[in-house]
């Protein structure tokens, strides 16, 4: 997985994985209990998207989020 350095990159990863799993934005929204507009905003990299919900999208797609100290 690529290193994520912006909300735009995070959104791109979410979109790519959703498409790889042949899910629509509506499917993912229903699975996660969020609105389709939220899924769309995350995929577009909207910086004000609620972090907890955004992490739930990643979790439902089977993606792990790992935070590491740079240079470690």
């Amino acid at each position: 997985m690529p290193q994520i350095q912006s909300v735009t990159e995070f959104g791109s990863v979410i979109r790519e994985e959703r498409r790889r799993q042949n899910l629509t934005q509506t499917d993912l929204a229903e699975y996660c209990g969020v609105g389709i507009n939220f899924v769309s905003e995350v995929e577009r990299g909207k910086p004000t998207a609620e972090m907890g919900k955004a992490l739930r999208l990643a979790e439902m797609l089977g993606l792990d989020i790992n935070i590491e100290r740079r240079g470690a």
Side-chain angles (χ1 to χ4, degrees):
M1 275 296 184
Q3 182 178 5
I4 304 299
Q5 297 182 340
S6 71
V7 293
T8 303
E9 291 174 357
F10 179 82
S12 293
V13 169
I14 294 295
R15 180 185 310 107
E16 289 171 16
E17 184 62 21
R18 175 184 59 76
R19 288 178 176 168
R20 190 188 72 73
Q21 294 185 29
N22 294 316
L23 297 171
T24 65
Q25 287 182 334
T26 301
D27 293 334
L28 183 56
E30 289 176 1
Y31 294 150
C32 295
V34 300
I36 188 171
N37 287 338
F38 180 78
V39 174
S40 176
E41 289 172 355
V42 169
E43 289 187 357
R44 288 193 323 266
K46 183 177 179 182
T48 58
E50 186 179 325
M51 183 61 128
K53 289 181 182 178
L55 292 174
R56 188 166 43 212
L57 295 179
E59 180 183 2
M60 291 301 293
L61 289 169
L63 299 172
D64 291 327
I65 306 293
N66 298 307
I67 297 176
E68 298 177 10
R69 187 174 308 274
R70 283 188 295 272

